[in-house]
Amino acid sequence: MPFDFNLISVDPAGARLGRISTDHGAVDTPAFMPVGTQGTVKTMSSRDLREAGASIILANTYHLYLRPGEKIIEEAGGIHRFMSWDGPVLTDSGGFQVLSLADLTRIGDDGVEFKSHLDGSTHFLTPERVVEIQLSIGSDVMMVLDHCASYPCDHPAAAEAAARTALWARRSASVGGTRIVRGGCERVLFGIVQGSVYPDLRERSCREITALDFPGYAIGGLSVGEPKAETLEMVELTARCLPAERPRYLMGVGFPEDIVEGVARGVDLFDCVLPTRNARNGTVFTSEGKLVLKNAVYARDFRPLDSRCGCETCRTYSRAYLRHLFNTGEMLGPRLATIHSLYFYLHLLEEMRQVIREQRFERWREEFYRRYGRSGTKIVSRP
RNA sequence: UCCUGAGUAGCUCAAUCGGUAGAGCAUCCGGCUGUUAACCGGAGGGUUGUAGGUUCAAGUCCUACCUCAGGAG
């Protein structure tokens, strides 16, 4: 089945229900993509991911290119076979690494020069080369190489990054178009909108990118340090400029409340390291807010992490036990915490799909905040 | 009983010629947004075994005692 996006319904509030079809299966949207940068969602097996409710995962072109190298993944039969994940895979282009590895990069209109964070070797990546690498990796959704500007970023610099992103989008699409059939599977290329926090730049970027007719569009360069109100304003504005019949992907977002607000503004796809990274570092997300496992209050708290959760961790283990695992440095701790937080995220999205289907997203959102807290960062009730 | 060595933060140890006590771990608390992250940051915590002495000044030098370890008998 070729790539397709079917917009099923739109809630009166603006939230969208849809379905993405790929040769590796379907993704009901709005959806959250667990981040598996190096071809693994840290601590999670493929079966764990399925049981947590994942339908699509994200991997990173830059990291896989450095290690093990895209040729090895190609020899293995592609990323799906290599990591034994038969669902859809989206690969990020490495555009974010332009920002996160800023000390090791030099950027020009031709492309980006990376100094490998592993061995210091230098690599020059062009937008064309990044598409070719992703074709070798075998992802279902490829992202164009973009220039993700830092924050704060003045207007001229943001304009330059957005213009470069548009130039690179054209060059990316010139490799084989925006839909490429390879190995019996259709691979699609998503464009990325930039423009920092400047409405005029966001609008211009939208026009330039959508002119290239990508099968999907990402909103990039947000949640890089700007105030939340600005993030939401940019999401809202950008979503309005994007074609309704194509999926919209808000890159790198976010906290549960950020995702709820993104869905409310018509976003279909999200990814973020927060549920996995924070879990490994001892903080999990629950229906009542975040829970910092290492805190002493949980030493004798024998309740599950989240009484409303049905994950393996919550069905089997207590807060006190998880705290013990973290305090002793046992590796089961990060694993059980990751299982929980991903389950929580993925089921939060499932819940949102349900209420959009039933046209009651707005009321549900109020209920969510009553339980979770407006700030979304409160410590859950003490024992 | 004698000889030698050692007693400093909860633990393991630093501290120059005598100059006004630090670190790692542990504890407690934060942070983490397209992963350079099982990571990073902060805080609390001391009558330096006890009692004297020398000195402007003692964790440091001297005396006695206490405790521990090793050795001798």
Side-chain angles (χ1 to χ4, degrees), chain A residues 3 189-192 214-218 246-248:
Chain A
F3 181 91
L189 194 57
F190 276 21
I192 303 177
F214 287 102
Y217 295 97
R246 300 284 159 88
R248 304 159 178 175

Side-chain angles (χ1 to χ4, degrees), chain A residues 249-261:
Chain A
Y249 163 29
L250 179 54
M251 305 185 83
V253 171
F255 284 96
E257 66 272 26
D258 300 333
I259 293 174
V260 170
E261 293 309 305

Side-chain angles (χ1 to χ4, degrees), chain A residues 219-328:
Chain A
I219 305 169
L222 291 176
S223 282
V224 290
E226 77 283 3
K228 284 207 177 190
E230 294 203 60
T231 315
L232 293 179
E233 189 192 329
M234 291 304 115
V235 170
E236 202 164 325
L237 180 156
T238 309
R240 269 205 309 274
C241 299
L242 292 171
E245 69 283 4
R246 300 284 159 88
R248 304 159 178 175
Y249 163 29
L250 179 54
M251 305 185 83
V253 171
F255 284 96
E257 66 272 26
D258 300 333
I259 293 174
V260 170
E261 293 309 305
V263 168
R265 285 159 181 77
V267 174
D268 307 300
L269 283 172
F270 301 86
D271 81 279
C272 193
V273 301
L274 277 173
T276 46
R277 180 193 288 167
N278 283 20
R280 289 196 305 285
N281 293 338
T283 299
V284 295
F285 294 94
T286 76
S287 60
E288 296 180 320
K290 75 170 183 181
L291 193 155
V292 182
L293 283 166
K294 287 186 259 197
N295 285 1
V297 279
Y298 303 118
R300 294 158 194 281
D301 189 339
F302 302 109
R303 297 174 298 174
L305 299 183
D306 187 348
S307 58
R308 293 167 42 89
C309 180
C311 81
E312 182 195 347
T313 303
C314 288
R315 288 198 316 266
T316 319
Y317 304 98
S318 67
R319 294 172 177 181
Y321 183 59
L322 268 287
R323 177 177 195 274
H324 165 69
L325 292 177
F326 272 96
N327 280 346
T328 49

